[in-house]
Every structure is written in C-alpha cells, then in structure tokens.
Amino acid sequence: MRPFDYQRAPSAQAAAELGAAAPASRFIAGGTNLLDLMKIEVERPETLIDISRLPLDTIEQTDEGGLRIGALVTNSDLAADPRVRRDYAVLSRALLAGASGQLRNKATTGGNLLQRTRCYYFYNPAMPCNKRDPGSGCAALEGENRIHAILGASAHCIATHPSDMAVAMLALDARVEVLAADGSTRTIALGDLHRLPGETPHIETTLNDGDLITAVTLPAPPGGRHIYRKVRDRASFAFALTSVAAVVELVDGRIATARLAFGGLAPKPWRDRAVEEALVGQAPSPALWQRAADMVLGEAQGHGSNDFKIPLVRRTLASVLDAACAGEK
Amino acid sequence: METSLKMDVPVQHSLLDSTNQNIISRPIDRVEGPLKVSGQARYAAEFKLPGMAHGVLVGAQIGKGSVARIDAGGVEAMAGVLGVVTDFDLFLRNSAQGMATEAPCQGVREIAYFGQPIALVVATTFEQARHAAQALEVTYEKGEGRFDFDAEQGKAQPKDSTLSSQGDIDAALAQAHGRVDGVWTTPSQTSAAMEPHASLAHWEGDSLVLYGSYQMLSTNRMQLADALGLDIEKVRIRAHYVGGGFGAKLGIAAESVAAALAAKALGRPVRVVMTRQQVFETTVRRSNTRQRVRLAADTDGRLTAVAHETLTANLDGEDFSEPVSAATKFLYGGANRTFGNEIVRMDQVLSGSMRAPGEAVGMLALEGAMDELAEKLGLDPVELRLRNLPDRHPGSDLPFSSRSLAECLTIGARDFGWPRRNRQPAATLDGEWWIGLGMAAAARSNMLIKSSARVSLQPDGRALVETDMTDIGTGTYTVLAQITAELLGLRVEDVAVHLGDTTFPPASGSGGSFGAASAGSSVYLACEKLREAIAGQLGGDVDTLVLSDGMARMGNISVPLADLDTGPLDATATIEPGETGENFVQAAFGAHFAEVGVNAHTGEVRVRRMESTFAAGRILNEKTATSQCYGGIVFGIGGALTEEMIHDTRHGAIVNRDLAEYHLPVNADVPQLKVRFLEERDHAANPLLAKGIGELGISGAGAALANAVYNACGVRVRDFPITLDKLIADLPDLP
Ligand SMILES: Cc1cc2nc3c(=O)[nH]c(=O)nc-3n(C[C@H](O)[C@H](O)[C@H](O)COP(=O)(O)OP(=O)(O)OC[C@H]3O[C@@H](n4cnc5c(N)ncnc54)[C@H](O)[C@@H]3O)c2cc1C
Ligand code: SF4
C-alpha cells in the first residue's frame, strides 16, 4: 500500500470537489474492494476521500412510486429492506447471492457498482494487464480465462464486471444519480454507467473525476415474477460464472413483459433488449428459449477455458425462463 | 525418572482400559477453547518484542532463471525502511520436507519457481515494509522453465524404491470377466491453513529464539540450526498455538531463516508474516497427479489384478513424491499387482506432504475404479469391496494389526439407507436436481514416531505435562490432559499442558496422523512411571493402586496426591516405534456414504448428505476426533468438487493465489456431516491402543462424491475437481 493522504468529506458536495481537485484520488465507502487493491498496489490513490459518514444511507420512496437508494446503503440493508423484498425481489436475491454476510455488511451500493474486475491477472502486478497498466498487454487472452467474458470484450481486455447487484438493477431499469464537482447533478441509466473496454480497458465508466454517485433510483415496481439465478463454482462466496436476472410477466399464457440481464458474461452488466422484444407476445416453449439464447449469444466468443460459458448460458437461460413461466404454461 | 518403550511387541493391556475414570474418550470441549475464542491464545505473529521490526519477503517475478542484480538503493531511502536483507547462500529456496533433519535447499540467486523468495525488506512498520518490498528493483536473467505438465510428462523418471510388481497384470486383465483401465487426474492443491506462515526471530547473544508457526518443532529446530550453521542448542522454537498446517508447516519455510538473518543483521527482533499470496507461491503444494488404475475381476467378483501407476511432479533435486498408491497396496486382494511411481521435474513450487499425502488423491482413482468395476460386474459397490478384503497384506503377507473395514462398510451402508439406492444412473430427480448415492472405503496408514514428554506431579497435587509437541488446532492440549487425568485420577482442569517449546522434551510433532498417538503414548508412559513411584511411596504393589479424585488409595491407605513427596516427582518418558511397525500392517479404516444433487441445467454439484463410519482404535476424545473427521471430509469435498491451484503454463505463476479464487468448500457446500466410530483397540499400535485419525476422513471422501455424481447423472468425471463445465455437455435431458 502506498502512503496516501486521507480526508473525510464533510458533505457530498465537498467530496465531489475534493475528488476533482485531487486527480489521483479515490472515494472510499465500505473499502471492501478498494483496500484489497491498495494493499497489492493495483490501486494507488494519492488521496483517499472518506465518504462513508455522509448521510447517503437511506432508502426513500420517490414521487414516481419507485425507490431512491442512497449510495451508502449497505448491501445487507438493501437486501433486507421490506420494500425491496416485496417489490424488487430480484434485487434482494442478487445481493444475497453475492459475497458473504460480513462483506455485505460493509459493502455499499455505490461501491458495489464501481467494484473492479476479479480477473486473476489484474490482481497480480507481475503480469501484463491493459486495465492496470495500459499498453502492457492482456495476460488473460491466451492464459487462464475461465471466469472471463464471452460478450462485449475486446482484444485488449476480456475481463468481466463482477457485480451481482448491478445485474439485477439493470433488469429493473435503475438509474444512477451523480453529483459533479461543479454542483450539478445528472442521472445515468445503469446500462450507460460502465463502458466496454475497446482499446481503453482502463477507462471503465462514463464518470468524470470527482463525480460522486449519490443514489440509485428504481422506477415503480415492475410486477411480474422475479428470479436471480447465479451459477458458480461453489454454493456460496464465489463470483458468478454466469447469472441471469429475470423479471417476467405472463398474461393469458403469453409473455407480456420480459426483462433479462446477465452477469459474469461481459465487461458490464449485460442486457439485450432485442431478446426481450422477441419474447413478448410469445407462449413459453423450449424452442422459444433456444431462440432467445441464440440471440443473446449471437456474438459470443470463448477464449479457451471459458468456452463452456456459451452452453452454460444457454442452459441457464432456459431454466430461468422455464421457472419464470412455470405453472402458467 | 526416565522410562521408555519400544513397540517391539503388542501391548496386551492398556491402563486406559482399567483406570475407570471415565475421562478418556469422553467428548469434552477443547481445554484451550476459551483462550482461542477470547483472543488470548497467542500465535506467532501476535507476539510483540521491544524494538521489533517488520520484514516482508520479496518473491521472484519470473518462473526460472537467476537474479542478476538487486538495486536496494531506492528502497533503502523510503520512509521507515531499516534495510534490505538477503543472503544468496543462506536464504531458503524451498521449504523443508516433513521430518527432515537437515536444512532444505538454500540459495536464492537461482530462481527455481515463480514467487521464490529472494530478499527481505525490513521496516519500522508492516505497511512500510510491504510497500518497500513491492518497490524493490530486481533485475533477472530469464531461463527456460518447465511449466506445462502435459508437455513434460513424457520425460518422467521412475522413483525406483516405489516400483513393485507381482504376477502378470496383462494376462490377468486379458482373462478377466470384468475390467477397468482408466486414467484419473488431480490438480495441484494448497493447504490454505487459516494462519499464514509467520516467524518472529530474536537473538539472545548468539542464541536464536524463533516464535514460529510449525508442526514439528524438534525437527524444525534441526532444520533451522543447520540452515544457519548453528549448534542445535543455540536454537529455540516456540509455537504454542498453530492455526492449522495440513502439511504446509511440517518443515521450516523461507520466512524463518529470513527473519533470523535480518534480526541478526539489524540487531533487533524481526517479524515476518507471509501474505496469503506468498503462502500459495512459496510454501508447499500437493502435486498434481496423473494416475492409471487397472483392475480385473473374475466371475465371482474377486479381484485378480490391481495396478496403480502414477505420475507426480516436483522440483529438481527434491525427492518427495506423493505416495499415491499407498492404500491401494493393502486395501484389496488380487494376485497380480503392479505399482509404479514416476516423477516429472517441473519448475513449480515444492511438492510435499499435504494432509493424507497419497490417500487423499490416490483413493479418488482407486475407489472410482472400484465403482466402475462394480457396475461392470453388476455387483453392489459395497458387496464388491466386501468380497475383496484380503486376510493379510496381499504383497507382504503381513497380518493386519486391526481392521474393522467390513463392519464400517456394512454398518455404514445400513444406517445410510444404502440398500434403497437405485443402481441405474440418472434415475432419480428432485425438481431440477439429479440425485445420486455413492460410497467409498477409507484407509490411512498408521504410524508411530519417537516422542518424549515429561509429566510432573506438583506440590498442590496437580499435574504438569511438558513436551515440544504442537497443537495445530487438532486437540492435542485436550487429549494429553485427558490421558493424564485418566491415569492419575485427576480432573482435566487439574492438568496443565505446556506445548510448543523446544526447551521441553522432543515430541513427534503433528503430522501423518501420528501426533496424538505418539505424544499421547509418551505421556501415558510417564504417567505409568508416576503411578509406580506413588505406589512406591505408599509402600505397595502398583497393581493395587487406585488413583481417583486427586487421591491415591491402596488397601486401607488413602492419601491426597498433594500430600505425597513431590519434590520432585516427575517422569520423562519416550515411546519409540519398533518391530510391531514392521510385523503388522497398521492402518485406520472407514467407509463413506454420500448423496449429491447435480443440477440438470447447470451441472452444479451439491452435497446433500454424507455419513462416514470409522474404526481407528481407541478414540481418545470423541469430540475432537469427530472434528478431525469433519475437517478431513471437508477436505475431501474440496478435492472432489472445488479445489484446483492453477499454474500458468507460460511462466509458472500461480493464477488463483488467494481464497477468493482458490475455492475451498464454504459452509454452504458442506451439509451436516455424520461421523460414527466403531469400538476398536489396536494392540500393535501403541500403549493407548489408538490409531491416527487426522487424515482418515479425507481418504475416500471425494471418491464417494464422484461415485454419487455418476449415480446421479450418469457422467463419469475422472479429471478432478468435478466442476460444472466437465458435466454439462453430457448431462441427460430432463424427462
Ligand atoms: C472475497 C470477496 C467476494 C466477493 N463476492 C462478491 C460476489 O459474489 N458478488 C458481488 O457482486 N460482489 C462480490 N464482492 C464484491 C463486493 O460486493 C464489493 O467489494 C463491494 O460491493 C464494494 O463496495 P464498497 O462500498 O466496499 O466499495 P469500496 O471498496 O469502498 O469502493 C469500490 C470503488 O467504488 C468507488 N466508490 C465507492 N463509492 C462511491 C460513490 N458513492 N461514488 C463514486 N465512487 C464510489 C471507490 O472509489 C472504489 O473505486 C466480493 C468481494 C470480496 C472481497
Ligand atoms: S482481461 Fe483485462 S483485466 Fe484481465 S489481464 Fe486482460 S486486460 Fe487485464
């Protein structure tokens, strides 16, 4: 860990200003990802801006009937919130499928969105990694890439975004509230928060220096049946090999709405609206699930040890859609 | 007083069967438990000495070659840095193997594997040292490494001592009614003990005191003294509590010598704690294995041939090779037998003993092959095993000292509900889960290692036990207190056990499942001697002595132990292996029964139920023994389903070198386990009539799971761990 300055931000606005003024700075919230990376000097902030005491830890009803989740609400609190459990069950389930109880008690909503990849080589400074050291190469491309992306990757980086929470939020059409250093606020659709790697895998989001995530908003409850299916190498405390967040509504035996988001497959939480549109109006059937999988996986590319993800997604999606429509066929 | 016993003949009677204190075998809580849960049990890295500095190891960032130059200038100018210490001749390149009496391979200019320690950066705080260690500039000369096992396996060298053959395997296979001929592979594994390796070194004049985290202090002391060129008397190691070892702490590791040299160079105590990544990279691994097993059986389901030939890997110059076929040699009969063991030389971190070396991985192949054979013969897997238990060792013709394997198999099968199993694979569905049952036998060789202890009766009538034995989380403190309390008629609370200091009599150490029986036997012998002395003080025959409730009774006399002449009343005793070790096959046995679910969509495997029945001689404490078995079975679950340490074949670096990506089983992977012990006594083993239990639980556990996976979904995976990617392609369609 490199020596760093530490500042406790007195207000959200001050945090954003401090962040913009000190370019090599990082906000620290729960610290569960940032501190690990600082210890191995993958993250090397000169200034740490502690936002953990800011009053951004409440969950409020919005005028539109949705929820506004403060950036510092912990993963545990969010998963346990009765409104989330009732109206946004997919989110509760995704959160509880992530990390461990201890980590969820510390991990925050904002930090979870901005946690960094778990690519093995990213975590080992002795290895080339374009995300860590731009231009050094990508060790995973021809190395061990069991946990890597099959969608949205580039020849420069094939890392996945590891969050479960973000996958559920993407399916729920969440938006991210951002406060900039100049005092302005804006909201970004969750799907537009993360960028694909292209030639610049080290630039991971559309945020600017100093931009502070203050909240995530969820629109009014979508109804439907909520499923979060996470497939992993052990029963708990492992990142997703693939995950599917599904919110599906059936009317008269046909799919009325379908929201599907995927984790473990791409550098960002993945959603494919064309697939959802293709499902709407159709009666559930194995053939339909295969067509949906064909569409999701149209551009999918394995890199060796992660080739199995392609059939795995196909099978997982079919089982999730089956379960979402079960009993109503 | 001194006493000793060499186990040349079986012990006919154990005092533990006649003292009737109802203390031995009882499932009492660990005596040091409260200290541990309240943070008062101090582990190596928790000692603080005045002026102590912190050292962090620097590991090589290449997999093969040499160090051209270390440029310490920049680092030495960094805040808090006290020095960059290295010694190209003395730093350890490899950890010591268990029970070695000399230093392991030293010299770190040559780089033999990725992450090999080359220097130690010492600073005032741990954080400063870690930062400076990461900044140290090292220039390397890169060499050509051997990092790809598949590419190297053609160059394997036979390890002669382990080659043996009898009869004609090929002919037996050709004539067989049923046969199996397959290749099983298991990956590298790491012990991943909770407590990382740590040493705090401090010099008192020309003597070294090292607070360490090791399993076998008396040999660790020899290794360390030899590595530093010191007389053994000048080295003291203290390890009162050890947070797990599982083999990785059998021998000294690099941090010990580095801490000692740095403490000397800087003239102050130096503490070195490995990072988790360093534990993966520079301590010791279980080698990956490639195993060919061939079995042949006649129409009666009797084995006619057993062959188990294995490839394992190790560094140049390292003799150890995983004794993969250890249990195969005596578990089942069959006239024609071949065992071979070859080593592939790889430039990867040292291979050494990890919990149940041999059986842990060998039984995956043997018991998997037995399951396949049972299917081919149309026999129940339990029945096939029962038909093939040899009366004597099938190779050496020696008798078994004790073997309740048939009972474990039949009682275990009955209690588990095995007869209700559907032999047809992929026949049982529970929702989207294919359900299957599998079983396997367990066997682990039993050993006795020379061990000494001193037991003294204190003026207040309490007892003190001293030995340099370790308690690595297994329950040594507790069972030694129980043995003493049972034999001296004391309450367990009235026995103080002091362990983990080389100033005490040298013990076996913890390893190879021999710790409790070896150290326990020395304590037994010392107590036996004390009983004689007490009888002498009372002026009568020891056979009429009754020790109970802190009183010595003989005939009409009844004296509190505190009133005896205790100045001093102590006995130092030594147990030694002898001819019973050569004249008997000694092993503990058991049987595992498991139920798994395989997800019909995703291929995820979940263990639903697991029951294991063991016989291991006298059980010294049913609770700590059960916990040892639980731990072993959890290791088995990891070996079968989740654990794999991956080396990158391009440069030899370990890819998944933390506990997020090296997947040990977590609570959710382990159902409530059921462990049962059968009553047994082993008279050839030791005066306790007990056998080792620490590694028995692993043996066969993973095979029971793999066999259950096959029964569940009809897919045989011989390449461990059984991860979902190896199943999904062949999963049957849902009905
Ligand atoms: C062993 C392990 C297993 C895990 N398993 C899972 C899993 O299965 N699924 C899963 O989803 N996650 C998993 N996690 C990751 C965990 O969810 C994240 O570490 C956590 O959510 C991060 O939140 P935090 O508040 O601690 O973030 P921090 O570590 O404090 O911050 C992370 C990043 O976000 C930035 N940041 C934080 N808050 C803000 C804000 N308000 N505005 C702008 N930037 C901000 C920080 O500057 C930093 O760059 C695991 C973590 C570990 C260590
Ligand atoms: S996949 Fe991305 S994060 Fe991983 S090594 Fe390649 S560039 Fe680095």
Side-chain angles (χ1 to χ4, degrees):
Chain A
M1 190 179 281
R2 303 216 168 169
F4 55 87
D5 287 335
Y6 170 87
Q7 307 218 23
R8 188 179 297 169
S11 67
Q13 180 59 38
E17 284 169 21
L18 282 167
S25 67
R26 283 274 187 263
F27 299 127
I28 179 162
T32 59
N33 187 223
L34 184 59
L35 288 178
D36 277 358
L37 291 168
M38 285 172 66
K39 287 179 198 167
I40 55 172
E41 300 193 4
V42 170
E43 288 276 14
R44 290 170 280 198
E46 283 168 19
T47 307
L48 266 196
I49 303 164
D50 186 349
I51 59 169
S52 64
R53 289 170 173 80
L54 296 179
L56 301 172
D57 57 351
T58 54
I59 306 174
E60 291 151 14
Q61 205 84 34
T62 63
D63 295 342
E64 295 76 35
L67 287 182
R68 181 172 183 280
I69 302 158
L72 292 171
V73 172
T74 66
N75 288 181
S76 294
D77 287 347
L78 185 56
D81 186 273
R83 293 161 292 183
V84 174
R85 292 178 48 165
R86 185 185 62 227
D87 298 331
Y88 308 94
V90 65
L91 176 56
S92 215
R93 290 178 185 145
L95 284 159
L96 294 176
S100 65
Q102 296 94 322
L103 283 160
R104 293 194 296 268
N105 286 342
K106 281 302 276 180
T108 65
T109 304
N112 191 312
L113 287 177
L114 296 185
Q115 64 173 297
R116 310 204 60 193
T117 184
R118 306 305 291 201
C119 168
Y120 323 107
Y121 301 100
F122 178 70
Y123 272 76
N124 187 345
M127 299 290 138
C129 170
N130 288 325
K131 190 185 274 302
R132 183 171 22 80
D133 292 315
S136 62
C138 170
L141 201 54
E142 287 171 2
E144 292 296 331
N145 47 42
R146 172 179 175 78
I147 59 174
H148 288 72
I150 54 171
L151 288 167
S154 75
H156 300 271
C157 179
I158 58 171
T160 56
H161 190 269
S163 170
D164 291 299
M165 180 194 81
V167 176
M169 286 181 168
L170 181 62
L172 292 168
D173 290 321
R175 295 186 70 83
V176 180
E177 282 187 16
V178 177
L179 172 68
D182 63 5
S184 64
T185 58
R186 65 185 194 283
T187 72
I188 308 170
L190 191 107
D192 296 332
L193 176 66
H194 300 101
R195 299 162 46 124
L196 291 179
E199 294 181 8
T200 54
H202 58 293
I203 306 175
E204 295 177 345
T205 69
T206 52
L207 298 177
N208 302 314
D209 282 346
D211 278 357
L212 178 76
I213 296 178
T214 48
V216 172
T217 54
L218 301 178
R225 195 174 277 193
H226 290 226
I227 292 180
Y228 189 76
R229 180 70 167 99
K230 178 175 177 180
V231 184
R232 45 187 150 173
D233 275 330
R234 60 184 168 192
S236 175
F237 204 36
F239 291 90
L241 291 168
T242 183
S243 67
V244 181
V247 180
V248 179
E249 207 175 3
L250 236 70
V251 176
D252 298 334
R254 292 191 176 266
I255 296 170
T257 59
R259 302 143 178 270
L260 294 173
F262 299 85
L265 297 190
K268 56 191 271 186
W270 196 256
R271 190 166 172 185
D272 189 334
R273 307 259 172 186
V275 179
E276 297 173 10
E277 281 158 23
L279 289 171
V280 169
Q282 306 292 319
S285 75
L288 182 62
W289 308 155
Q290 290 312 319
R291 277 212 300 287
D294 287 343
M295 290 177 75
V296 175
L297 294 167
E299 316 254 290
Q301 200 197 337
H303 303 281
S305 27
N306 70 350
D307 292 347
F308 72 94
K309 283 191 178 183
I310 295 174
L312 181 64
V313 173
R314 186 173 284 286
R315 302 177 69 101
T316 308
L317 178 60
S319 83
V320 166
L321 289 171
D322 252 350
C325 302
E328 307 197 25
K329 259 181 250 185
Chain B
M1 295 183 293
E2 300 218 354
T3 183
S4 67
L5 175 70
K6 194 157 180 257
M7 279 301 293
D8 283 332
V9 290
V11 172
Q12 291 311 329
H13 174 76
S14 174
L15 280 174
L16 294 173
D17 285 312
S18 54
T19 40
N20 295 323
Q21 296 302 299
N22 191 25
I23 292 176
I24 199 66
S25 304
R26 282 246 319 278
I28 63 168
D29 291 345
R30 290 196 213 178
V31 295
E32 84 288 13
L35 291 179
K36 284 183 173 166
V37 295
S38 61
Q40 295 175 73
R42 277 204 288 172
Y43 293 79
E46 295 176 318
F47 284 90
K48 287 196 181 75
L49 295 176
M52 182 177 84
H54 299 263
V56 170
L57 288 166
V58 177
Q61 303 294 288
I62 62 167
K64 184 77 178 174
S66 59
V67 178
R69 199 160 44 84
I70 295 181
D71 187 353
V75 157
E76 276 165 353
M78 289 170 71
V81 173
L82 300 168
V84 175
V85 179
T86 192
D87 188 314
F88 281 147
D89 298 322
L90 294 186
F91 263 46
L92 299 191
R93 184 190 300 173
N94 301 337
S95 291
Q97 297 285 2
M99 304 177 83
T101 52
E102 293 174 352
C105 178
Q106 290 175 278
V108 295
R109 182 180 283 285
E110 296 300 315
I111 308 287
Y113 59 92
F114 203 104
Q116 173 197 304
I118 47 183
L120 185 78
V121 178
V122 186
T124 313
T125 70
F126 167 72
E127 286 75 13
Q128 289 166 332
R130 181 175 58 188
H131 174 43
Q134 282 161 319
L136 187 69
E137 271 189 44
V138 182
T139 322
Y140 301 98
E141 268 170 39
K142 269 196 185 177
E144 281 293 308
R146 298 155 296 180
F147 308 124
D148 184 351
F149 185 81
D150 290 340
E152 298 296 323
Q153 57 176 304
K155 302 176 207 155
Q157 297 290 320
K159 207 181 167 239
D160 287 331
S161 60
T162 58
L163 272 175
S164 73
S165 194
Q166 68 195 62
D168 186 341
I169 281 283
D170 294 324
L173 277 153
Q175 292 155 19
H177 172 64
R179 66 183 73 78
V180 173
D181 180 353
V183 171
W184 281 258
T185 53
T186 64
S188 288
Q189 296 175 338
T190 187
S191 301
M194 184 88 84
E195 180 202 20
H197 292 58
S199 285
L200 163 57
H202 122 85
W203 292 85
E204 290 170 352
D206 58 354
S207 291
L208 172 69
V209 179
L210 188 108
Y211 296 81
S213 176
Y214 290 123
Q215 296 176 229
M216 313 186 86
L217 301 195
S218 43
T219 44
N220 297 142
R221 183 190 192 198
M222 296 180 201
Q223 296 151 9
L224 190 55
D226 189 35
L228 296 168
L230 294 173
D231 284 344
I232 184 143
E233 292 73 29
K234 302 271 184 207
V235 175
R236 175 180 177 193
I237 302 182
R238 300 177 60 175
H240 306 294
Y241 298 100
V242 178
F246 312 115
K249 297 172 182 169
L250 288 172
I252 60 169
E255 93 294 339
S256 60
V257 168
L261 292 174
K264 175 130 251 178
L266 298 172
R268 59 200 287 180
V270 173
R271 174 164 93 190
V272 182
V273 183
M274 285 199 193
T275 62
R276 179 58 67 186
Q277 289 84 354
Q278 287 171 338
V279 174
F280 274 82
E281 286 182 336
T282 82
T283 61
V284 62
R285 68 178 169 121
R286 187 197 304 282
S287 172
N288 56 314
T289 71
R290 183 183 186 280
Q291 310 177 38
R292 183 179 184 200
V293 174
R294 287 173 290 167
L295 299 176
D298 63 18
T299 46
D300 294 333
R302 291 198 209 281
L303 287 166
T304 53
V306 176
H308 196 166
E309 290 151 299
T310 66
L311 285 184
T312 60
N314 214 340
L315 287 160
D316 283 330
E318 288 288 341
D319 207 34
F320 177 88
S321 75
E322 180 94 11
V324 179
S325 56
T328 315
K329 292 182 179 144
F330 61 80
L331 195 53
Y332 304 120
N336 303 286
R337 311 175 77 79
T338 294
F339 301 98
N341 185 0
E342 298 187 344
I343 305 190
V344 181
R345 293 296 168 188
M346 300 287 296
D347 300 303
Q348 295 174 339
V349 62
L350 181 71
S351 303
S353 294
M354 179 171 144
R355 200 173 189 179
E359 292 89 342
V361 285
M363 293 289 277
L364 288 171
L366 174 66
E367 289 296 277
M370 285 294 280
D371 201 63
E372 296 190 25
L373 184 65
E375 188 184 29
K376 290 201 168 147
L377 297 170
L379 268 181
D380 182 89
V382 174
E383 178 57 28
L384 175 65
R385 286 166 175 84
L386 288 171
R387 282 190 198 179
N388 285 288
L389 302 184
D391 295 334
R392 299 169 76 89
H393 189 291
S396 65
D397 202 36
L398 291 174
F400 291 94
S401 58
S402 60
R403 186 192 56 180
S404 309
L405 177 53
E407 294 82 348
C408 291
L409 287 164
T410 44
I411 293 172
R414 183 197 67 204
D415 289 2
F416 184 75
W418 180 256
R420 289 196 299 278
R421 166 179 181 260
N422 189 336
R423 266 188 219 181
Q424 184 63 37
T428 311
L429 261 181
D430 178 4
E432 58 186 54
W433 296 86
W434 294 108
I435 309 303
L437 307 185
M439 60 78 53
R444 168 70 188 164
S445 294
N446 184 62
M447 281 177 271
L448 178 69
I449 301 293
K450 186 173 177 185
S451 201
S452 304
R454 178 169 54 237
V455 180
S456 37
L457 205 56
Q458 308 291 296
D460 62 2
R462 298 172 184 226
L464 171 65
V465 178
E466 294 164 303
T467 162
D468 83 0
M469 182 60 191
T470 48
D471 186 327
I472 60 171
T474 47
T476 316
Y477 279 106
T478 312
V479 297
L480 296 188
Q482 272 176 287
I483 292 168
T484 309
E486 175 74 41
L487 294 178
L488 298 183
L490 295 170
R491 297 181 308 168
V492 170
E493 307 84 281
D494 292 332
V495 181
V497 179
H498 292 177
L499 303 179
D501 189 329
T502 52
T503 56
F504 299 144
S508 62
S510 303
S513 299
F514 50 64
S518 303
S521 292
S522 65
V523 169
Y524 172 102
L525 294 172
C527 290
E528 191 180 39
K529 195 79 189 164
L530 286 175
R531 290 175 64 94
E532 286 169 16
I534 293 168
Q537 283 197 24
L538 300 186
D541 181 357
V542 71
D543 292 338
T544 63
L545 177 72
V546 176
L547 295 179
S548 180
D549 305 324
M551 307 285 289
R553 296 196 183 82
M554 190 180 270
N556 301 332
I557 318 171
S558 181
V559 185
L561 292 185
D563 291 352
L564 294 171
D565 178 6
T566 54
L569 188 52
D570 64 41
T572 302
T574 301
I575 183 83
E576 261 185 273
E579 284 172 22
T580 60
E582 284 135 44
N583 298 341
F584 293 91
V585 191
Q586 294 186 26
F589 293 91
H592 300 278
F593 293 85
E595 175 182 321
V596 305
V598 178
N599 188 280
H601 303 291
T602 62
E604 291 158 292
V605 178
R606 298 287 179 260
V607 187
R608 293 161 65 107
R609 202 155 68 90
M610 213 162 164
E611 297 190 9
S612 308
T613 304
F614 301 112
R618 185 196 311 276
I619 299 304
L620 300 172
N621 174 324
E622 204 188 315
K623 185 171 193 176
T624 54
T626 301
S627 295
Q628 282 299 296
C629 293
Y630 286 159
I633 294 164
V634 173
F635 257 67
I637 294 173
L641 302 179
T642 59
E643 290 181 46
E644 174 170 23
M645 187 166 93
I646 304 167
H647 278 93
D648 194 311
T649 55
R650 296 169 298 179
H651 38 61
I654 295 168
V655 175
N656 52 343
R657 38 174 216 152
D658 60 36
L659 297 179
E661 294 302 334
Y662 180 83
H663 291 138
L664 296 162
V666 295
N667 273 317
D669 293 300
V670 183
Q672 180 56 52
L673 304 172
K674 212 160 135 188
V675 165
R676 175 209 343 263
F677 298 111
L678 301 186
E679 200 61 30
E680 193 185 61
R681 299 282 185 269
D682 193 312
H683 294 269
N686 51 61
L688 310 176
L689 317 186
K691 292 186 285 192
I693 198 126
E695 295 159 309
L696 181 59
I698 310 179
S699 173
L705 295 172
N707 295 340
V709 167
Y710 174 72
N711 182 245
C713 67
V715 186
R716 282 267 184 219
V717 178
R718 293 170 171 170
D719 175 30
F720 290 91
I722 307 176
T723 44
L724 57 91
D725 48 302
K726 297 172 188 168
L727 291 169
I728 48 172
D730 301 315
L731 287 177
D733 290 334
L734 282 169

